[in-house]
Amino acid sequence: MAITAEEKTGTFHLQTDNTSYIFQVMENGELGQLYYGSKIHVRPQYVNLSVREQRNATTAWKLERPDFQPDVLKQEYASFGKGDFRYPAYKLIAENGSRISEFVYKRYEIVEGKTRIAGLPSAFDDTKDDAQTLIIHMEDVFSGLELELSYSIFPHQDVLVRSALFNNCGSKEFTLADAFSAQLDLPDCKYDLLHFSGSWARERHLHRAHLRPGIQSIGSMRTASSAQHNPFIMLARSGADEDTGEVFGFNLIYSGNFLDQVEVDQFETTRILLGINPAEFSWRLLPGQSFQTPECIFSYTAAGMNGLSQQLARFYREHLLPARFAETERPVLINNWEATYFDFDEKKLLSIAEKAKELGIELFVLDDGWFGCRNDDTTSLGDWFADTDKLPLGLDHLAKQIHAMQLKFGLWFEPEMISLDSRLYDRHPEWVIHVPGRAMSPGRNQFVLDFTRQEVVDYLFEAMGRIIEDAHLDYIKWDMNRHITEMFGACLAPEQQMEMPHRYILGVYQLYERLTSSYPHVLFESCASGGGRFDLGMMYYAPQAWASDNTDAAERMLIQFGTSYGYPQSMMGAHVSAVPNGQTGRVTPLETRTAVAFFGAFGYELDITALSAEETFKIKDQIKFYKKYRSLFQFGTLYRIESPFDDEQNVMSWQVVSNDKKHAVACRCQILNRANPPYTRIYFKGLTADQKYTVNDSAEKFYGDELMNAGFFVQQLMDACRHAGVSADFQEALFVLKAVE
Ligand code: GLA
């Protein structure tokens, strides 16, 4: 791993174990992108990578240089209005309305390590792992503005972290209209764009399509990264699959409005831009002020999508997740929501906790309905004190009894929200985001607090902190159940109103920052009507995120499989719930619901006090099994084998492998059973070729190469199911592989 700066030629080459990222200072002083891909040798200059031809009908940099045409060049962080007609990386508006700026190279510095960005979630190198950061200083001489482009690399990680910082060092006011976090120009367009889109209860389904001329984009204007589109995208060579081929991954460490944009231009080159969505953003930059963009992650591999997901998962574990939880096994939890909804009292909760203890569960989570006088979703958000009707002895009394059972105790909050029917609203109607004089649009009967007001963040820090201390909380589920409408900041000047969406997210991050640093032992799980804020900004504070309100096993296969491309299993909250499923009405076997949930941060969300003796027996066993292989399920190397997004969408299989490759667990699930089905084999992955393994404690021992290349016979499930008198639809098969001899 190294950063090489060739001062004479103005060439910068960042090498990780397997990748090279190269750019250079062009003749006009701006930066030109040269290469991102498999590692190549360092040379002082790469003329071959920067050659260009003069083209007709194209604008030149200046009269004397008709051959220097910005529109045909690959740029590093493109300016607006100077002859590059593709979408720019930033746009600055001067007092006179001009949108032209030209940041030219001034100097560079290489600093050891990777420092966190104050106020924003960001990658770090706390272990002093020898990360290096290259900062390119640019200036626009005309305006006095400066721009710092930052690039960090980390040992043994094929990942690059980028961001941009604008400093107004001049004497005039400017408005930053667009400010993407990073840009990448690739020399051709023979890629597929893969993105993860859906909706509430249908999050992160994989979509793959060839690039075509013009702009394709996904994004959010909901002030949340959203269930509709996830900020993680990939560009893959058309033939690339799970195990082979070139794949780029891009993601933002951000939870607000975003735009991921891919543009194929007239010369069939590709420009990728990721950052805050310009449609709802601008930032006033007074003299002396700065604007820091969120960070953007680039990652590249020639080893297919499994390779990409694996290197991202490792990077997040080492450089983004809270270190305390990054590799700590997560507790098996019971959440009371689908068991009781709002209808519970202390007795009911304790009966659930007692049963949970008997089953081997480790964490009891009390969901919505414990505060104010909240018996449905129309009241009490903002009143963060216990409902004395439901919990007359108080929250701390309940917590004490749960802790006495040797269970951990956690609570649900929705800190950003307020109900009109609440004491908080009576006291502070001005804290609600609204446009004076206009009607407010409700979402789930609730409204949003103005997190740009410091007193709002202070109130919540104090209210939540008190409960964390009194009830000795071990866990918090931080929910967010509506998107923001009537966006307006009562405390912001008219020319700052477009800052509001980003300032709102900064307020959310401030509260997270204060809570997680004051109470570092508390495990946070983020949630937004299920998986509506499943992003790296949240991951920095909350190691887990509720993947979806949809816990139907067949649908969860799609949601979890899609999510796994960009996020590690340990982040995916995955629970077993009752059947018929609340979202689909579908009945799936307990074994399948459980096997699907195993590949995540595992738990239960059903009335366990109503389990039959047989179910109790099975669940005890299943929890024992999960605990035995927990570290493998949560932190093992994940290999996707058969995709539920392929062809008939009928089968999913995947596998986790231990670091030493001595243990692996695979799961294969089918959706509908087929009569007289084809002969089927499962091709395991990631094993040691010359190591022998048993499969489900078989007498026969198999070499790893045989299991990977010749595969393992999968019996049709029909006979066993007929024998047991159950449907063969939605059945699963688990395979436990152990190295022997
Ligand atoms: C959201 C969450 C659920 C649950 C409810 C409570 O929908 O996604 O898991 O917490 O809120 O109101």
Side-chain angles (χ1 to χ4, degrees), residues 547-566:
S548 177
D549 280 347
N550 187 345
T551 45
D552 174 82
E555 299 255 314
R556 268 289 179 137
M557 289 177 205
L558 297 162
I559 294 168
Q560 292 179 206
F561 204 89
T563 306
S564 77
Y565 284 91

Side-chain angles (χ1 to χ4, degrees), residues 54-74:
Q54 186 177 336
R55 293 294 170 102
N56 285 339
T58 305
T59 316
W61 165 40
K62 55 183 178 185
L63 277 175
E64 314 79 77
R65 290 301 306 278
D67 62 319
F68 192 98
Q69 301 168 321
D71 213 28
V72 307
L73 296 168
K74 288 193 293 151

Side-chain angles (χ1 to χ4, degrees), residues 337 342 367-368 374 412 444 477 479 481 527 529-530 546 549 605:
W337 178 241
F342 294 103
D367 209 278
D368 195 355
R374 184 153 161 104
W412 180 96
R444 208 197 184 199
K477 177 177 172 185
D479 209 339
N481 280 310
C527 175
S529 299
W546 183 221
D549 280 347
E605 190 144 347

